[in-house]
Amino acid sequence: MNGPSTRILELLSLLQDGRVWDGAELARRVGASPRTLRRDLDRLRELGYPVESARGPGGGYRLAAGRAMPPLLFTDDEAVAAVVGLRFAALTWAGSDTGVADSALGKLERVLPDRLRHRVRAVSASMETGSRPHRQADLGVLRLLGGAVSGRNHVRFHYTDRGGAETDRRVEPCAQVLFAHRWYLLGWDRDRNDWRTFRADRISGLEVLGTTFAPRPPPPGGAVSFVQDSARLPITRHRATVLFRAPLQVVSERLVAEAGELTAVDAESCRYVSAPDSWEWLAITLAMVGVPYTVEGPPELIEVSRGLAERIARAADG
């Protein structure tokens, strides 16, 4: 028979999977008599674990949610997954809660046995992470939005778009999506009567209202696909459209630019559409493709491209 400490740890591990366990099955799994099992369950309750029991047909034991979080028991794989996940979370949260993920991560890493500490270091060493975004989502905003999505509550907030324009938005929140190290909210914009995506780090003055809404069918392709498409090519008047006088295959091999859409017009030309953060950077990138092209719009990109061409011509003449 297992020792008391080993048996209780095994019992806790079984209860933490969320299911309702039959008493006889639990006793068999931990190698204890029904009386010993009841004593072990009482011991777990004394330690702060809210073990619930029900008698009669269909009854059993389960671990319920308590008022405080008692110590958790992880398997080796669960512990590694938790540490790696928290390290990633620390890169995506900011604001007043910036230390929450780091604090939880530190507590976990301090209690890891050597064999797991080596595994975590090996996994971390094999991963490459892009630079931390200049602006990060506040955990408080993500928490409020999560509650609004779950409760189907209307929200109201102040939003600053990529061009710096500020607006007040009234939204039916549908989902939060993590894409390219940024959190996005997908929601139905009540004033524009259409689906929109909002970067969480650009949301301020968030209010969760007491009114609720009936859920709408998600946009075609689902929330993740819609957010990814919108992030790559936002709904904005600041779109660049460029016609390349070269086959799509040639341009796609040479174009190193911000995400956008490149489509064939015919066998000898293709069109590129993008919503860049910088017209200057896009103008330089287009020139580096090395094939004839025409900037179809917007006026801002046309003006910047002309200025770039003039500077290059003066440099060549001088």
Side-chain angles (χ1 to χ4, degrees):
M1 179 179 292
N2 293 332
S5 299
T6 302
R7 190 177 60 246
I8 288 178
L9 286 175
E10 185 176 355
L11 177 60
L12 178 59
S13 178
L14 293 172
L15 289 171
Q16 284 184 162
D17 74 355
R19 61 177 281 191
V20 177
W21 285 89
D22 175 74
E25 174 67 8
L26 264 185
R28 185 186 67 80
R29 293 288 294 268
V30 301
S33 66
R35 181 178 179 181
T36 300
L37 175 67
R38 290 191 294 271
R39 187 168 59 245
D40 289 345
L41 291 170
D42 288 338
R43 178 58 177 157
L44 284 177
R45 294 186 182 103
E46 293 173 2
L47 293 172
Y49 293 94
V51 179
E52 292 184 345
S53 60
R55 298 186 180 277
Y61 299 95
R62 72 182 185 96
L63 195 62
R67 288 172 297 197
M69 180 178 288
L72 299 177
L73 186 65
F74 289 118
T75 65
D76 286 6
D77 288 340
E78 289 170 345
V80 173
V83 171
V84 173
L86 282 169
R87 282 187 173 169
F88 178 73
L91 295 174
T92 61
W93 294 345
S96 59
D97 294 302
T98 186
V100 172
D102 287 330
S103 174
L105 178 60
K107 290 178 181 178
L108 270 178
E109 289 187 326
R110 280 193 293 272
V111 298
L112 286 178
D114 288 340
R115 68 179 188 281
L116 293 187
R117 191 172 292 111
H118 294 322
R119 285 181 60 185
V120 167
R121 288 172 181 169
V123 172
S124 299
S126 69
M127 300 170 63
E128 295 186 9
T129 304
S131 59
R132 185 188 294 257
H134 293 298
R135 299 177 62 179
Q136 298 167 274
D138 191 305
L139 179 56
V141 170
L142 299 180
R143 192 164 48 220
L144 286 175
L145 287 176
V149 170
S150 176
R152 297 172 183 168
N153 293 105
H154 291 110
V155 297
R156 181 170 55 207
F157 52 81
H158 193 72
Y159 191 69
T160 304
D161 67 18
R162 62 190 292 134
E166 300 182 6
T167 54
D168 291 319
R169 316 302 281 265
R170 301 185 308 143
V171 174
E172 297 175 3
C174 174
Q176 295 187 92
V177 176
L178 180 62
F179 173 62
H181 296 279
R182 296 189 188 278
W183 283 101
Y184 292 83
L185 170 69
L186 169 65
W188 182 266
D189 192 309
R190 299 169 65 192
D191 295 313
R192 291 153 182 80
N193 200 35
D194 199 1
W195 291 105
R196 289 290 188 270
T197 61
F198 306 92
R199 263 180 44 182
D201 59 290
R202 292 175 174 164
I203 292 175
S204 61
L206 174 63
E207 295 180 68
V208 178
L209 307 180
T211 54
T212 59
F213 59 89
R216 301 174 184 270
V224 173
S225 176
F226 187 90
V227 169
Q228 289 177 344
D229 291 343
S230 298
R232 283 192 288 259
L233 195 60
I235 300 174
T236 171
R237 66 183 180 86
H238 299 291
R239 287 192 179 187
T241 306
V242 180
L243 180 65
F244 286 102
R245 309 290 182 180
L248 183 145
Q249 181 65 28
V250 173
V251 176
S252 63
E253 292 175 353
R254 301 182 183 183
L255 181 61
V256 182
E258 297 179 9
E261 294 180 347
L262 186 64
T263 57
V265 175
D266 52 42
E268 299 300 324
S269 63
C270 58
R271 180 171 281 107
Y272 178 65
V273 181
S274 179
D277 288 323
S278 167
W279 297 124
E280 291 77 7
W281 175 250
L282 181 58
I284 295 171
T285 303
L286 295 174
M288 292 173 61
V289 176
V291 302
Y293 66 94
T294 300
V295 177
E296 298 178 328
E300 293 91 339
L301 180 58
I302 294 174
E303 181 180 352
V304 169
S305 298
R306 285 174 177 167
L308 175 63
E310 291 173 359
R311 291 196 299 274
I312 293 175
R314 286 197 299 269
D317 292 340

